[in-house]
Amino acid sequence: MRTQVAIIGAGPAGLMLGRLLERAGIEAVIIERRSADYVLGRIRAGVLEQSTVELLARAGVDERLKTEGLVHDGVEISFDGDMHRIDFSGLIGRHVTVYGQTEVTRDLMEARTSSGASSIYEAEDVSIHDFDGARARVRYRKDGVTHEIACDFIAGCDGFHGVTRASVPKKALQLFERVYHFGWLGVLVDKPPVAEELIYAHHERGFALCSMRSPSRSRYYVQVDADEKVAAWSDERFWDELRRRLNPEVAERLETGPSIEKSIAPLRSFVAEPVRFGRLFLAGDAAHIVPPTGAKGLNMAMHDVRLLADALIQHYGDKSDAGIDSYSAKVLARTWKTERFSWWMTSLLHVFPTTGAFGRRIQRAEFDYLKSSRAAATCLAENYTGLPD
Ligand code: APR
Ligand code: PHB
């Protein structure tokens, strides 16, 4: 089999790249090791930057987003119950849109199914070859038969644990990583959110986040130790702990109920350099991971595939490789700025084993500076709503 671009992974990065290339008349095949239902079953975050909303519109998959997306003009930061609102629209005339990543993935997957573009799910033993040569190849097994696809380019959209980055010779890669000694215990509940906007809370007992999926479905998180077990957390214990970390009036308003999903996500900052190896391009979680505190994971993936799609459109359309040749530098420039912001939000709002009394005073002073300085609030607003290119 032959195609122009082989896309490994049908997460939001792979599906969006497939969609943008399809609309530009460039042939692409998506190869995914899981089933479509499994991919859709993963609960992930859901705060979209304006550039991500614009990209979903460009891809022609924003119908539901336009009706179900919740536009937020600000966010609340809480420090030991002391609340401060960051007014995105007042400070910089921008906003974010709350719309679940699962819904973004569903919209992209449905668009691909209805257009009939080629996707191979439940592909086993996917491997990539000769991406540093004249023609790249992808191999996989399906229903016991081994298949090979010859292609001009391979897009590694297969996430942190994927095969594409793992196929790059170690000496060609530089990896940067910070692992945090805590995770986020998240609960999904069919109850109205406790507040109109998200609340990011620092408390001496640990971080907490109040988020939502819709006016009737909410998502809450509390910081727990990295080795904590979900089984140790009854719904009651979770609600008690969440209330203790919030402003008392907010805690009073909290509507609780049976969790419909409960899981612990580890926190990691990770960057691979470079993100292009001949005919192989890494995008999304295959190239970088951010802790979820800045709500950047999905937005970074969308930014990468927009750059990659434009570069490939330029390659096939204008016969120019300027975009392809600058892809890695452009992705890394934005990646490190976003890593910095996500690390800063994580440092401000979590309790670290090493924080100590001095560290807690510094965190408090950082929060007080945020409250008292328009410049500091504007910096947060700019990074949270999405840095300009
Ligand atoms: N072969 C084929 N597919 C693979 C392989 C493989 N060897 N390994 C992984 N995959 C698939 C996974 O099953 C998954 O569906 O690649 C897909 C990667 O999707 P994501 O992990 O969602 O990564 P990405 O599309 O880059 O989206 C990044 O996801 O984790 C969130 O916070 C992150 O929001 C960000 C977004
Ligand atoms: C979520 O709604 O799941 C969510 C929102 C904001 C974050 C992380 C997760 O920073």
Side-chain angles (χ1 to χ4, degrees), residues 44-178:
R44 295 266 176 81
V47 176
L48 310 184
E49 295 174 355
Q50 272 171 255
S51 61
T52 297
V53 170
E54 286 150 15
L55 191 65
L56 290 161
R58 172 182 157 183
V61 293
D62 62 340
E63 276 319 302
R64 264 195 331 136
L65 169 62
K66 281 190 287 195
T67 51
E68 297 173 21
L70 306 171
V71 174
H72 285 191
D73 291 330
V75 72
E76 295 275 356
I77 307 288
S78 166
F79 199 100
D80 293 341
D82 184 356
M83 305 273 287
H84 179 67
R85 181 171 183 269
I86 304 291
D87 178 3
F88 302 149
S89 58
L91 288 162
I92 56 173
R94 298 175 64 83
H95 61 259
V96 293
T97 304
V98 173
Y99 185 70
Q101 174 173 322
T102 312
E103 306 318 315
V104 169
T105 307
R106 189 189 311 284
D107 297 338
L108 287 164
M109 215 181 257
E110 282 170 5
R112 193 168 181 84
T113 308
S114 51
S115 74
S118 172
S119 306
I120 298 142
Y121 285 92
E122 296 173 286
E124 295 165 69
D125 301 335
V126 176
S127 61
I128 62 173
H129 309 271
D130 305 336
F131 48 85
D132 52 357
R135 180 173 301 287
R137 287 171 303 120
V138 175
R139 258 196 224 115
Y140 64 94
R141 225 155 35 77
K142 175 86 179 168
D143 307 329
V145 180
T146 298
H147 299 264
E148 181 167 296
I149 301 175
C151 52
D152 302 333
F153 301 105
I154 299 174
C157 300
D158 49 347
F160 184 72
H161 302 286
V163 67
T164 57
R165 191 185 70 246
S167 305
V168 175
K170 294 261 172 303
K171 61 183 184 328
L173 258 181
Q174 223 185 332
L175 304 178
F176 303 82
E177 186 164 26
R178 172 155 298 175

Side-chain angles (χ1 to χ4, degrees), residues 225-345:
D225 291 343
D227 55 6
E228 189 70 63
K229 298 284 175 280
V230 173
W233 285 81
S234 66
D235 286 356
E236 229 28 64
R237 182 183 174 199
F238 177 87
W239 297 125
D240 282 352
E241 188 55 42
L242 178 61
R243 281 194 202 93
R244 300 175 79 162
R245 299 184 186 187
L246 297 174
N247 166 284
E249 279 153 39
V250 174
E252 194 61 36
R253 284 201 311 266
L254 188 65
E255 290 191 50
T256 65
S259 59
I260 55 176
E261 192 272 351
K262 192 190 297 178
S263 57
I264 295 180
L267 267 66
R268 178 199 312 267
S269 295
F270 170 85
V271 178
E273 288 186 7
V275 293
R276 181 215 175 168
F277 307 89
R279 297 175 176 281
L280 171 63
F281 298 83
L282 304 181
D285 278 15
H288 40 68
I289 300 282
V290 283
T293 329
K296 291 297 174 201
L298 176 64
N299 296 297
M300 290 171 89
M302 293 295 114
H303 177 265
D304 294 353
V305 294
R306 176 166 57 81
L307 276 181
L308 185 51
D310 291 346
L312 293 168
I313 291 166
Q314 197 185 34
H315 169 81
Y316 287 111
D318 318 339
K319 305 287 176 256
S320 157
D321 285 351
I324 281 182
D325 295 341
S326 63
Y327 172 76
S328 188
K330 284 185 181 162
V331 166
L332 288 171
R334 189 182 181 92
T335 295
W336 278 112
K337 286 181 191 158
T338 311
E339 290 286 344
R340 180 210 70 81
F341 174 64
S342 304
W343 165 84
W344 176 78
M345 283 282 276

